[in-house]
Amino acid sequence: MSYKKNTFEYLIPRPVEIKEVEGQFRISYDTKIVLLESTDSSDYNSALILKGYIEDKLGIRLEITRSASEEDVSKVIILDRSDDIKEEEGYSLNISDDKVIVKARTKRGLLYGVATFRQLIALGGALIPACEISDKPVLSNRGFYHDASRGRIQKLSSYKKLADLCSYFKLNQLQLYVEHSFLFKGFSEVCRDDTPLTAEDILELDEYCAKLGIELIPSISTFGHLYKVLRTKTFEELCELDDPRDSEFSFDQRMQHHTLDVTNEKSFEFVKKVLDEFLPLFRSDYVNICADETFDLGKGKSKELADREGVGKVYVDYVNRIMEYCINKGKKPMFWGDIIVGFPEYAKLLPKDVICLNWGYSDCEKEDNTRKLADVPVRQYLCPGVHGWRHFINHFEMAYRNISIMCEYAGKYHAEGLLNTDWGDYGHLQDPLFSIPGLIYGAAFSWSGVSEETEINRQISRLYYGDREEELMSVARDIGMLEGNSWDQLVQFIELIRNRPAAQEAKEFYGRLKVNEPAENNKRIDEKLDDLRLLITGVNDEGKALINRLLLFAEGQKLMCRALYQLGCKLFDKAQNHDECVRIAAEIETWMYHYKKIWRITSRESELYRVEEIFYQCADILREQNVNLIIK
C-alpha cells in the first residue's frame, strides 16, 4: 500500500520549504508526546490538542511527558521552544524514523507546527513520511470574520468548532459581527424575540480562542447598521430618521438602515455604554467599531449639519469621537473603510494607528481603494469574502477569485493583514459549513501566497473532506454556479408583494429579476447532485456533512426557482397552473421542515422564524386563487 501522489502537496497552507528524506515515522501504542524543558505551561495545550487528534483519527491514546533533552528519547513526538527559529510564528518540523521534532520560538509557532503534523496524520494515518519542513507566514495578521447578527446566531459549541478550524489552518484572529445580538443591559426589548450571545458566552469563547493562539477581537456596530436596535421604543429617539418603527420588519430595509443621530448627545452616551460593557469581555487590545454603510447620515436629523460641513466631515468627526473613547480605554480601533475611501483626504484626521478594514467583494475587484489608502497612508487590512450571503449555496468560484485578488493587493501595497468575511445578509440562509472552503482559501493565501483554483480545490477535497477522488470541491463549485435566481431576489419580491403594490410596479420589479423557466437548469443541478451521491461513501465525516447540506440546499434552490417562475405566471401572465402552484407550496413546507432541523444542529433559534416566514408567505401566495388579494 502506498501514498497517493505526494503526501506533502496536500498540506494547507503550503509550507515555505519541504525537504523529503528517507524514512517513515510510525505512530504506535508506546509513542510518547514529549514537552522539553524549553516549553512553558501554555504549550501543554499544544500537546493535548495533538494527543486528542491522534486518538480521534487513529484510535491510539498517547501519553504526554516532559524531558530535559531530546537526546535520551526515541519513538517520540517532541515539542520544543527554541530561539533558533527567528520568525514570530515560524516553526520547523523534522520527521525521521524514530522522532518527530516540532520546534518554534513562540506558542503560536508551536501550535502551527503541530497543525502541520496533524495534517500529515490526516493524509498518511499512523505512517508519516520523513521530512524537514521550515515555515513562516507571508502576512502576520490572518483573520476570519463571521456574521453573528443578521439572522443566525450559532451555538457556543459551533463557535468553538470555528475557532478549532481557524487554528488548524493557521489563522490567528477571529471576529464575530454584532449589531443587536448581544444581551446588553437595557436590551430586553431589542432581544425579546431573539436568542442573543451573553457575557459568559464571550468570556468562554475568548478563553477557548486564546488556547488556540487566536485573538478574539470585539466587533460591534457603533454608528450604522443598527436597524433592529433603533426600531425599538427604547432607542428610537437615537435614530437619524424619524419614525423608524413606521413599517414592519424587512430584510431588505435592514440592509439599508438605521444610523445613529450624531446631533443627539444621547447617541454617543449609548455608544459609550455599549463599549463599556462589551470591551472588558475580551483580552484583545483591538476593537472593531464597524462604522460602515451609514446610508442615512445627513438625510434626517443631521441634514442641516451635513449641508453645512459636508457628510464626509460629519462622518469622520463622529468616528473620531468613538475612536478616541476606545483609545482612552486602552484599545486600538479598527473600522470598515467603505465610507472613508470616498473621502480619503479626511483619513488624515483619524488617529494615527487606527486600522482601516478595506473591503471589496468583486471577483474582479480593482486596486484603487487599496492604493488610495496606501497613499494617505493608512494602516489597512484587505477584506474579501466567502460569497455565501444572499444565496442558498456559496459561490466558491467567486470566493476564490475575490480572495486571490485581495491577497495579491495585500502583498503589493504592504497591508498589515487579511480579514476574510462571512456575512449573513437576508437572514443568513446559507449553512455555515458552506463557508469553510472560503475560510481555507483565505488561510492558505494569507500564509503562503495564492495558488491555482483547481489545485487548492483538489487539496481541500483530499485533506479536509477525505475525498481520495479529489472531486468534491469541483462538484460543489459547479452546483453553486448553476444558481438561477438568488435568495435575496425572492425575499425582495415577497416583501414587495406583502405590501400589495400596484400591478405595474410589481410586474416591472419582477421583470428586473430575469426569471426563466427553471426545468432545464434544475435538471443540470440534479446531474451534479448524483455526482455527489457517488462520492459520499468515499469521504470523511466533514465530507458527508457537506454533501448532505448540498443535497438539501440545492433542492431548496430548485424549489425557489420553480416558485418564482410560477409566481410570475400567476400574477402577470394569467397562464397559471394552479395545481403546480399548490404542489410547489407543499414542497416548500416540507423542505422547510428539514431545513429547520439542519439549522438547529449548529445554531440557536435566533431569527429562523423570519426566514421561514418568507417561505411560508411564498407558499400562501402560490395557493391563493384571487390575485387581486395579492396586488392592487
Side-chain angles (χ1 to χ4, degrees):
M1 190 173 185
S2 62
Y3 300 110
K4 184 175 181 181
K5 300 181 182 176
N6 181 347
T7 301
F8 301 108
E9 73 178 77
Y10 298 98
L11 294 175
I12 306 174
R14 181 167 180 78
V16 172
E17 183 178 338
I18 304 173
K19 180 182 178 182
E20 298 181 56
V21 297
E22 289 295 322
Q24 294 173 325
F25 182 80
R26 293 164 173 83
I27 301 175
S28 188
Y29 66 92
D30 56 348
T31 304
K32 293 186 184 300
I33 300 172
V34 178
L35 289 159
L36 294 190
E37 286 185 343
S38 60
T39 60
D40 62 31
S41 58
S42 67
D43 297 320
Y44 181 62
N45 189 61
S46 294
L48 283 176
I49 289 172
L50 181 56
K51 174 179 177 173
Y53 190 84
I54 290 173
E55 184 173 4
D56 178 56
K57 296 298 181 182
L58 307 179
I60 302 172
R61 186 175 178 84
L62 304 186
E63 293 181 354
I64 301 173
T65 186
R66 292 189 75 88
S67 175
S69 170
E70 67 181 66
E71 302 298 327
D72 304 327
V73 289
S74 61
K75 295 179 68 174
V76 294
I77 303 165
I78 296 172
L79 307 186
D80 180 21
R81 289 278 198 104
S82 172
D83 288 337
D84 292 342
I85 308 297
K86 301 303 181 183
E87 294 79 12
E88 181 71 17
E89 296 183 330
Y91 68 90
S92 66
L93 173 60
N94 294 320
I95 301 175
S96 61
D97 287 336
D98 64 341
K99 289 179 184 176
V100 174
I101 303 176
V102 183
K103 188 176 293 188
R105 184 165 65 86
T106 65
K107 168 188 169 180
R108 274 185 182 163
L110 207 59
L111 277 165
Y112 297 152
V114 166
T116 297
F117 185 61
R118 288 162 62 196
Q119 290 189 10
L120 288 171
I121 292 171
L123 294 164
L127 190 64
I128 312 299
C131 63
E132 296 174 0
I133 292 176
S134 178
D135 202 9
K136 62 180 181 179
V138 171
L139 291 175
S140 56
N141 300 296
R142 306 169 306 281
F144 192 69
Y145 192 89
H146 179 75
D147 195 332
S149 276
R150 290 182 292 188
R152 185 189 294 267
I153 306 169
Q154 294 196 71
K155 297 175 181 177
L156 179 59
S157 59
S158 298
Y159 291 130
K160 287 181 177 180
K161 289 179 181 177
L162 176 60
D164 289 335
L165 191 67
C166 289
S167 180
Y168 185 63
F169 289 106
K170 303 183 176 67
L171 294 173
N172 58 17
Q173 292 180 0
L174 175 63
Q175 298 187 35
L176 301 181
Y177 174 56
V178 173
E179 290 178 2
H180 56 267
S181 51
F182 180 83
L183 190 58
F184 289 104
K185 295 172 185 175
F187 261 43
S188 58
E189 184 186 0
V190 176
C191 296
R192 66 186 183 187
D193 59 349
D194 216 330
T195 48
L197 296 165
T198 66
E200 187 172 349
D201 289 332
I202 298 298
L203 288 167
E204 187 170 339
L205 183 60
D206 187 69
E207 179 70 22
Y208 191 84
C209 286
K211 290 181 178 180
L212 295 172
I214 295 170
E215 183 176 8
L216 184 66
I217 296 175
S219 173
I220 180 76
S221 289
T222 59
F223 199 171
H225 278 303
L226 287 167
Y227 180 80
K228 192 175 181 188
V229 175
L230 298 180
R231 279 170 52 83
T232 62
K233 291 182 179 179
T234 305
F235 297 110
E236 64 178 334
E237 68 171 315
L238 307 182
C239 187
E240 166 75 11
L241 301 180
D242 291 321
D243 302 320
R245 296 188 297 114
D246 67 350
S247 60
E248 63 180 305
F249 175 90
S250 161
F251 278 128
D252 193 54
Q253 288 298 300
R254 178 156 74 179
M255 297 305 301
Q256 307 298 323
H257 310 292
H258 285 298
T259 299
L260 284 173
D261 170 19
V262 299
T263 66
N264 187 342
E265 190 58 28
K266 290 182 181 179
S267 295
F268 192 66
E269 292 301 316
F270 166 83
V271 172
K272 291 195 296 183
K273 177 182 177 300
V274 164
L275 291 170
D276 288 346
E277 189 173 345
F278 202 52
L279 296 186
L281 304 176
F282 299 80
R283 66 190 70 195
S284 173
D285 291 333
Y286 290 92
V287 54
N288 180 2
I289 66 168
C290 294
D292 57 317
E293 297 186 334
T294 51
F295 298 129
D296 296 335
L297 185 63
K299 295 180 180 178
K301 297 169 185 173
S302 68
K303 186 178 187 307
E304 182 179 342
L305 177 64
D307 288 346
R308 184 172 66 250
E309 299 190 13
V311 173
K313 183 65 164 56
V314 172
Y315 172 84
V316 168
D317 286 348
Y318 202 70
V319 166
N320 256 332
R321 289 190 72 186
I322 300 170
M323 289 182 175
E324 292 293 350
Y325 188 77
C326 293
I327 291 169
N328 290 336
K329 294 181 74 67
K331 299 295 183 180
K332 302 171 186 176
M334 299 174 164
F335 74 112
W336 293 112
D338 55 295
I339 306 298
I340 204 67
V341 294
F343 307 95
E345 66 276 13
Y346 288 126
K348 296 178 181 179
L349 303 178
L350 297 172
K352 181 180 178 181
D353 291 326
V354 303
I355 294 175
C356 181
L357 303 173
N358 179 16
W359 60 264
Y361 304 135
S362 170
D363 62 342
C364 53
E365 190 70 34
K366 303 299 183 184
E367 62 185 80
D368 299 5
N369 289 342
T370 305
R371 186 184 63 252
K372 284 180 186 177
L373 294 174
D375 287 345
V376 171
V378 175
R379 297 174 66 191
Q380 61 178 316
Y381 285 13
L382 275 291
C383 306
V386 300
H387 282 268
W389 57 93
R390 306 184 182 216
H391 306 294
F392 278 75
I393 296 169
N394 287 45
H395 286 199
F396 301 115
E397 85 290 352
M398 287 282 291
Y400 169 82
R401 292 198 290 267
N402 177 227
I403 295 166
S404 299
I405 290 170
M406 295 295 269
C407 281
E408 290 172 353
Y409 294 162
K412 180 177 179 179
Y413 290 97
H414 308 291
E416 296 190 22
L418 186 89
L419 184 62
N420 194 10
T421 61
D422 179 18
W423 296 105
D425 302 12
Y426 292 88
H428 212 140
L429 175 79
Q430 76 276 16
D431 194 272
L433 292 188
F434 296 152
S435 296
I436 292 175
L439 179 152
I440 298 173
Y441 294 155
F445 304 158
S446 61
W447 179 280
S448 57
V450 175
S451 61
E452 201 269 333
E453 183 180 8
T454 56
E455 178 185 2
I456 188 68
N457 283 343
R458 181 174 58 80
Q459 291 171 322
I460 294 171
S461 297
R462 176 69 181 88
L463 173 65
Y464 188 69
Y465 295 117
D467 174 23
R468 292 186 177 273
E469 299 299 322
E470 302 174 13
E471 295 177 355
L472 179 52
M473 274 303 302
S474 175
V475 178
R477 177 188 186 276
D478 290 346
I479 292 172
M481 291 177 71
L482 287 171
E483 178 184 71
N485 292 95
S486 56
W487 161 244
D488 62 312
Q489 291 179 329
L490 177 67
V491 173
Q492 291 168 2
F493 189 58
I494 294 299
E495 290 186 346
L496 175 68
I497 295 300
R498 188 172 62 195
N499 294 324
R500 298 187 64 210
Q504 186 59 32
E505 178 188 355
K507 187 172 184 178
E508 288 174 358
F509 183 90
Y510 184 83
R512 292 194 293 271
L513 301 184
K514 296 180 178 166
V515 179
N516 296 312
E517 205 290 320
E520 189 60 35
N521 192 60
N522 284 354
K523 181 180 178 182
R524 289 196 290 269
I525 293 175
D526 285 336
E527 291 169 354
K528 291 296 177 181
L529 295 181
D530 282 346
D531 291 340
L532 289 180
R533 292 182 174 97
L534 290 172
L535 290 173
I536 198 166
T537 59
V539 298
N540 60 20
D541 289 345
E542 286 82 7
K544 289 181 175 67
L546 176 65
I547 289 173
N548 278 289
R549 298 300 195 283
L550 287 169
L551 291 172
L552 176 67
F553 280 71
E555 289 298 334
Q557 170 71 38
K558 289 162 53 186
L559 263 176
M560 184 199 70
C561 289
R562 287 169 58 200
L564 269 174
Y565 181 74
Q566 290 299 328
L567 285 173
C569 295
K570 184 183 191 71
L571 297 174
F572 312 120
D573 294 339
K574 310 301 182 185
Q576 63 173 297
N577 182 335
H578 186 66
D579 289 342
E580 173 67 1
C581 288
V582 171
R583 187 159 43 247
I584 294 172
E587 290 180 35
I588 286 172
E589 289 152 354
T590 300
W591 185 85
M592 271 305 303
Y593 169 78
H594 294 284
Y595 174 84
K596 287 188 287 187
K597 288 197 297 183
I598 291 294
W599 175 293
R600 289 167 177 150
I601 291 173
T602 61
S603 305
R604 309 175 193 207
E605 285 297 295
S606 31
E607 294 185 40
L608 173 58
Y609 71 96
R610 295 197 192 276
V611 174
E612 68 177 350
E613 187 177 65
I614 295 294
F615 283 106
Y616 294 157
Q617 287 175 345
C618 178
D620 289 344
I621 296 170
L622 285 167
R623 283 195 174 94
E624 181 60 61
Q625 295 199 46
N626 189 345
V627 176
N628 291 328
L629 294 178
I630 301 171
I631 57 177
K632 293 178 182 177

